[in-house]
């Protein structure tokens, strides 16, 4: 049986083309990582630069809150990668399945819970800035704009979360069920 | 000029390509997907090569990456692979010319039998078929050596029955 199985060979594989492609991909990924790393600070500096800080120090809280929210979500999204790295691939199959399952559940949690909190921080930050900008306007107009902007952010965040969860249900859920099944079989061992 | 990593990767490829390919065909439903999985495993090995610390045998490390990639491989990965690597999906795996029809037919039956197993059993089956020791199988799967022995014996007799069906079930 082993002889029959091992008679199957892989051949005619262009390894050089693969390695060339991999090197290009690595270069591209490096550039993307650099871009992601600098976009956050650039946004922060840009906000500080364009906001009329001379009008009120309250406006200063806005870029800090937005920066904090962005950094928090970035940390939530990348912490598993930063902490466990791709090393998990070389774990035993059982440990790997457990790790992957935890990572997938974490992604679900980010979409289900943490994103709403991110939206709340965004609403506070934007409303603080508007509070200063809209000061010359009549009170009822100010209220209407505050409510309108807040509602818009809530709807936008809600729509993003729902569409992400719908996507996860299609892609992540079957994979999670598959991993749970594997884990169950391993635990029965 | 080739780097140390390039040379090491080439060495790994030459040593393990057949095992990785056979593993790929046992986990994928068709040849195209098997080729994608084969390529994906090579990519993961390449990406992780610098992290190999020598804590385990190179073979064990390769198998762990290969099986861990295989159990989470899906058509979604295939799409990502096509988009990200820019590698032409035209790599072919030709059968050696001296591959006889009889062996090919026996292989097909074996392949079919393995395809009917669960993913978990398929890991044990293919490792057994590669002649991997129980100790190494235990290191790859994270299951105790005793259970590996029980599991492999069970799968071995199951595959034997499927390959040699007899009226008395022997």
């Amino acid at each position: 049986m082993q002889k029959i199985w091992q008679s199957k060979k892989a051949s005619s594989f262009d390894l050089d083309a693969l390695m060339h492609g991999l090197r290009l991909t690595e270069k591209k990924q490096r550039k993307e990582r650099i871009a992601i790393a600098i976009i956050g600070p650039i946004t922060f500096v840009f906000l500080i630069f364009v906001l009329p800080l001379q009008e009120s120090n309250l406006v200063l809280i806005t870029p800090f809150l937005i920066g904090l929210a962005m950094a928090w979500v970035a940390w939530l999204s990348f912490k598993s990668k930063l902490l466990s790295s791709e090393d998990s691939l070389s774990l035993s199959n059982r440990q790997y399945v457990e790790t992957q399952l935890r990572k997938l559940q974490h992604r679900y949690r980010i979409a289900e819970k943490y994103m709403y909190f991110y939206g709340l921080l965004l609403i506070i930050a934007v409303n603080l800035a508007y509070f200063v900008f809209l000061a010359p306007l009549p009170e009822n107009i100010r209220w209407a704009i505050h409510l309108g902007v807040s509602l818009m952010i809530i709807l936008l965040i809600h729509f993003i979360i729902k569409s992400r969860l719908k996507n996860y249900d299609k892609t992540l859920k079957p994979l999670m069920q598959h991993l749970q099944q594997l884990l169950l079989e391993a635990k029965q061992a | 000029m080739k780097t140390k990593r390039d040379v090491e990767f080439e060495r790994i490829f030459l040593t393990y390509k057949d095992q990785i390919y056979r593993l790929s065909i046992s986990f994928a439903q068709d040849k195209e997907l098997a080729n994608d999985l084969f390529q994906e495993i090579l990519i993961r090995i390449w990406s992780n090569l610098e992290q190999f610390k020598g804590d385990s045998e190179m073979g064990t490390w390769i198998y762990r990456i290969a099986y861990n990639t295989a159990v989470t491989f899906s058509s979604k990965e295939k799409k990502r692979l096509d988009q990200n690597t820019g590698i032409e999906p035209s790599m072919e795996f030709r059968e050696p010319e001296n591959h006889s029809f009889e062996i090919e037919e026996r292989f097909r039956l074996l392949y079919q039998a393995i395809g009917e197993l669960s993913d978990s059993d398929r890991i044990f089956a293919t490792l057994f078929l590669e002649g991997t020791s129980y100790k190494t199988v235990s290191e790859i799967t994270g299951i105790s050596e005793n259970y590996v022995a029980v599991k492999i014996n069970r799968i071995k007799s199951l595959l034997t029955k499927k390959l040699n069906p007899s009226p008395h079930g022997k």
Side-chain angles (χ1 to χ4, degrees), chain B residues 59-71:
Chain B
T60 307
W61 184 78
I62 302 276
Y63 273 130
R64 278 180 170 180
I65 290 188
Y67 280 101
N68 288 339
T69 305
V71 294

Side-chain angles (χ1 to χ4, degrees), chain A residues 150-172:
Chain A
S150 303
L151 194 69
M152 218 169 68
I153 296 175
I154 290 171
L155 286 176
L156 184 72
I157 296 276
H158 183 73
F159 176 76
I160 291 171
I161 291 171
K162 287 292 157 202
S163 95
R164 190 170 291 180
L165 285 175
K166 208 172 158 187
N167 183 26
Y168 281 1
D169 283 346
K170 267 192 223 154
T171 53
L172 299 191

Side-chain angles (χ1 to χ4, degrees), chain A residues 2 8 89 93 178 185, chain B residues 5 22 68 119-120 128 140:
Chain A
Q2 288 178 331
K8 195 79 171 176
L89 258 180
N93 194 250
H178 173 64
E185 286 174 22
Chain B
R5 184 196 194 186
R22 289 191 288 266
N68 288 339
D119 271 6
S120 157
F128 152 69
I140 294 165

